Amino acid sequence: MLAMNYRGPYRVRAQHKPDPVIEHPGDAIVRVTRSCICGSDLHLYHGMVPDTRVGHTFGHEFIGIVEDVGSSVQNLKVGDRVLVPFNIFCGSCFFCQKELYSNCHNTNAEATAVGAIYGYSHTAGGYDGGQAEYVRVPMADVGPMIIPDDIVDDDAVLLTDALPTGYQAAEMGSIQEGDTVVVFGAGPVGIFAAKSAWLFGAGRVIVVDELEYRLEFVKRYAQCEVVNFKDVGDMALHIKKMTDWLGADVCIDCVGGDAAGSVAQTVTGRLLKMQAGAATVLHWCINSVRKGGNVSIVGVYGPTFNAVPIGNALNKGLTLRMNQASVRRHLPRLIEHIRAGHIDPKQIITHRIPLEEVSDAYHIFSSKLDNCIKPILIPPRAHEVRAVTASVAK
């Protein structure tokens, strides 16, 4: 099969590798019809995450058609159209029982904190991802969801990570009716966090980024205010000026360790790797939120150390909540929102790129070229899948 292949920082290519096979009775093999490049993939691409190994296939956002199932799989059959949450989880451990699917205790032998993730570094289990023609899906009876007939592919693929992560970012902010919410980052997750903040009752939403085309997009899509941090000397002071000198009720970090905006953080976190990524936005969140406010963190940082102003958080009496999104928990409600027209995920897709051109796709997304918001990859056999599916339907 054709698959994305990691060759080192800033070096990826499309390359042939063996097709995945059933390794356990609970596995399924999915033929991919859509996969995305995520901002979290860029952390890998930039060499920010430890134990990202040469030869690995990225991609934790994908949908497809079930091609084969193991002998114990009961809930899927060949031909089902499925979306696959980026979390790999068992469904039965202590954490899964609490719907903390991103912290599953049984699927990632490489770490005690995060559960397993498709197509991420070996700190997340080392499972190959969906930027390929085929992918092995473990725990197939609990993870994948059959896509309802009225949900189109372009919406479904964004339900595997970006939309649920943005939605959970807003949820973890414990937004109260009328709250002022500041979202740092106008990438796909930040865009969805801003849109979701309204669903939780926000009275005012402000999005901070440095790229004008992204700020213009989120202003239209999420009907929010925007701030370009390049025009701001002191972010905390600026947010306080915008909020009657109190600070925001909720600040959300949708950026993570690749953040710009501070020379010191960039040098120590991104260049010298003295800490696990630039903690610029963590500082902005903690210092911009009001006393007694809430900080929600979904931006990805590498393990394990970051220079964070925890004393400020303590003295301000802040509540900090953070996690990888537990995608499966949010899907029923998000599908309701899509059906009701409250949110239209596919509008953020700006680029559809053949899997064969994955190297160019990463370059475009990483370098913020061509007003790119969200790129999706189309495997060469995706068209065959649609043709076969249509024929069977007739």
Side-chain angles (χ1 to χ4, degrees):
M1 68 171 182
L2 191 68
M4 173 272 187
N5 193 280
Y6 176 71
R7 308 307 301 170
Y10 295 91
R11 295 177 60 211
V12 301
R13 66 182 65 165
Q15 189 168 316
H16 288 279
K17 61 190 301 184
D19 290 355
V21 296
I22 299 291
E23 297 179 11
H24 183 277
D27 290 350
I29 303 298
V30 171
R31 188 190 295 193
V32 178
T33 55
R34 293 279 193 286
S35 64
C36 297
I37 302 176
C38 176
S40 298
D41 292 325
L42 296 184
H43 298 311
L44 303 174
Y45 180 68
H46 296 155
M48 298 292 295
V49 182
D51 207 11
T52 302
R53 302 184 187 180
V54 169
H56 196 53
T57 295
F58 297 171
H60 54 272
E61 299 177 311
F62 62 91
I63 63 170
I65 307 295
V66 176
E67 187 86 0
D68 194 10
V69 296
S71 59
S72 69
V73 175
Q74 301 294 316
N75 297 333
L76 298 179
K77 65 182 185 302
V78 173
D80 282 341
R81 187 173 66 118
V82 294
L83 69 87
V84 183
F86 77 86
N87 325 107
I88 304 172
F89 58 96
C90 70
S92 58
C93 71
F94 175 87
F95 301 101
C96 287
Q97 288 298 301
K98 294 181 177 295
E99 296 187 315
L100 293 170
Y101 303 124
S102 62
N103 305 112
C104 177
H105 207 51
N106 290 329
T107 53
N108 182 7
E110 304 294 332
T112 58
V114 72
I117 299 172
Y118 289 100
Y120 220 66
S121 90
H122 276 63
T123 61
Y127 297 83
D128 270 340
Q131 292 172 9
E133 292 185 276
Y134 297 94
V135 61
R136 181 177 75 92
V137 175
M139 311 287 179
D141 266 340
V142 295
M145 174 183 175
I146 296 175
I147 302 170
D149 290 340
D150 60 338
I151 301 297
V152 300
D153 284 355
D154 284 353
D155 283 336
V157 74
L158 293 168
L159 285 168
T160 61
D161 175 12
L163 176 53
T165 297
Y167 185 82
Q168 182 168 310
E171 178 194 63
M172 291 192 301
S174 300
I175 297 167
Q176 302 298 307
E177 186 172 354
D179 275 355
T180 294
V181 179
V182 177
V183 177
F184 290 96
V189 170
I191 292 167
F192 285 137
K195 190 75 170 179
S196 298
W198 296 116
L199 301 177
F200 285 96
R204 186 181 184 189
V205 179
I206 303 164
V207 176
V208 179
D209 201 275
E210 66 172 328
L211 297 172
E212 285 297 331
Y213 81 85
R214 299 210 306 187
L215 291 171
E216 285 300 317
F217 184 93
V218 72
K219 185 164 62 174
R220 292 193 307 271
Y221 183 81
Q223 299 82 48
C224 60
E225 301 170 60
V226 296
V227 174
N228 190 321
F229 69 72
K230 291 191 297 187
D231 300 332
V232 173
D234 184 313
M235 181 55 65
L237 181 64
H238 188 80
I239 295 299
K240 287 178 180 178
K241 284 181 180 178
M242 296 180 72
T243 55
D244 295 327
W245 298 101
L246 293 177
D249 300 292
V250 180
C251 283
I252 302 176
D253 175 0
C254 294
V255 181
D258 263 335
S262 166
V263 173
Q265 289 287 338
T266 297
V267 170
T268 60
R270 295 173 61 183
L271 301 180
L272 300 180
K273 296 183 174 57
M274 295 170 63
Q275 56 173 327
T280 307
V281 173
L282 289 177
H283 284 253
W284 287 349
C285 284
I286 289 170
N287 294 329
S288 299
V289 76
R290 66 166 171 82
K291 289 177 281 190
N294 299 317
V295 173
S296 171
I297 306 166
V298 294
V300 173
Y301 295 86
T304 56
F305 166 79
N306 273 97
V308 178
I310 198 66
N312 291 3
L314 168 67
N315 291 327
K316 293 177 74 172
L318 304 185
T319 297
L320 278 64
R321 294 186 64 192
M322 64 210 80
N323 206 349
Q324 300 281 355
S326 292
V327 171
R328 200 65 162 82
R329 175 167 64 88
H330 300 298
L331 292 179
R333 188 58 184 273
L334 289 173
I335 288 172
E336 288 180 13
H337 282 310
I338 292 171
R339 286 172 170 160
H342 298 154
I343 192 163
D344 186 357
K346 62 182 174 292
Q347 284 190 24
I348 78 162
I349 297 171
T350 54
H351 291 68
R352 291 172 171 81
I353 301 171
L355 178 61
E356 298 94 318
E357 300 172 17
V358 67
S359 180
D360 290 338
Y362 267 86
H363 175 63
I364 290 168
F365 191 39
S366 173
S367 300
K368 311 297 188 294
L369 302 177
D370 196 29
N371 290 350
C372 184
I373 299 289
K374 186 68 171 178
I376 64 172
L377 300 170
I378 310 296
R381 297 186 188 181
H383 299 291
E384 296 176 24
V385 171
R386 285 198 292 275
V388 169
T389 304
S391 176
V392 170
K394 290 179 182 179

